[in-house]
Amino acid sequence: MIYVEMTARDQLIPSAPVSGLTLEPLDADSPLVTDVMARIGAPYNWESTARTPEGWTAWFAEHPDRSFWLVAYEGSPAGMVSFDFHPGDEVEIGTFGLLPEYVGKGLGGYALTLGVEKAWETASRVWLHTSTFDHPNALRNYHRRGFTTYRTEEGNRTKP
C-alpha cells in the first residue's frame, strides 16, 4: 500500500476543468453505490467486486457516517468518491475511481480535483491509500494534484 496525504488545502493543484463532469451527493442506500464501486474495482481486484449482500452490510456498518459522491459525466454515472471521517477532522478518501468505460478519456484529474475540494470543506487533513495493482496512472494523478507519499507498506493482495 502507498499512503498519500495533503495537510493543507493550498496543497491542492487543481486539474483543468472538464465540461460536463460533476460531483453529486449520493445516498448510502442508493443501488448505485454498490454497483458503481464493484464496476470501478473489477479491473483492480477490489474487495467490492466480490462482496455479498452481507459483506456490504458489514462494510457500511464500519463507518456509518461514510459519505458518497457520484462522479457524473454529462449526466451519466462515471465514477465514485467516498469519504470516511476520522478524529481530528481528517478525511480519508476511501474510494476514488472511474468506471472502466470512462478511464483514459482525460476525466481522472478533474474528478479527483472535485473530490479533494469536497473533502477540504470539512477536513484538516486529506489522505488515501493506493496500490501498484490500481490503475497505473493513479499514483501519478494523486501526486499531480498535490498529494505527497508519507508511508508505504508491503501487502498481500493478489493481482487479478
Side-chain angles (χ1 to χ4, degrees), residues 5-160:
E5 69 179 349
M6 283 185 198
T7 56
R9 186 181 198 127
D10 64 358
Q11 291 172 333
L12 173 62
I13 303 166
S15 175
V18 174
S19 180
L21 193 71
T22 60
L23 195 63
E24 303 169 6
L26 197 56
D27 289 333
D29 59 357
S30 169
L32 280 174
V33 171
T34 55
D35 176 61
V36 171
M37 284 186 61
R39 290 173 49 210
I40 289 169
Y44 314 110
N45 201 29
W46 285 7
E47 291 178 15
S48 59
T49 62
R51 259 189 208 118
T52 63
E54 296 79 17
W56 279 109
T57 299
W59 184 80
F60 283 115
E62 287 175 4
H63 293 279
D65 62 346
R66 183 176 278 147
S67 70
F68 299 91
W69 298 84
L70 181 70
V71 176
Y73 183 63
E74 297 180 347
S76 296
M80 172 89 56
V81 181
S82 74
F83 301 130
D84 292 334
F85 301 94
H86 296 277
D89 295 329
E90 291 190 6
V91 174
E92 175 186 2
I93 298 175
T95 302
F96 171 75
L98 298 174
L99 293 169
E101 59 267 31
Y102 290 96
V103 171
K105 299 191 182 293
L107 306 178
Y110 190 55
L112 183 58
T113 296
L114 293 173
V116 172
E117 287 174 340
K118 181 59 66 180
W120 276 116
E121 289 178 8
T122 59
S124 64
R125 175 179 176 248
V126 178
W127 61 279
L128 60 90
H129 64 270
T130 188
S131 135
T132 56
F133 293 140
D134 286 338
H135 190 278
N137 292 334
L139 185 59
R140 185 174 336 151
N141 189 18
Y142 301 141
H143 286 158
R144 285 182 177 167
R145 300 290 69 80
F147 284 96
T148 57
T149 299
Y150 70 94
R151 185 171 87 209
T152 58
E153 294 178 351
E154 292 297 317
N156 60 2
R157 192 169 91 178
T158 57
K159 192 168 184 170

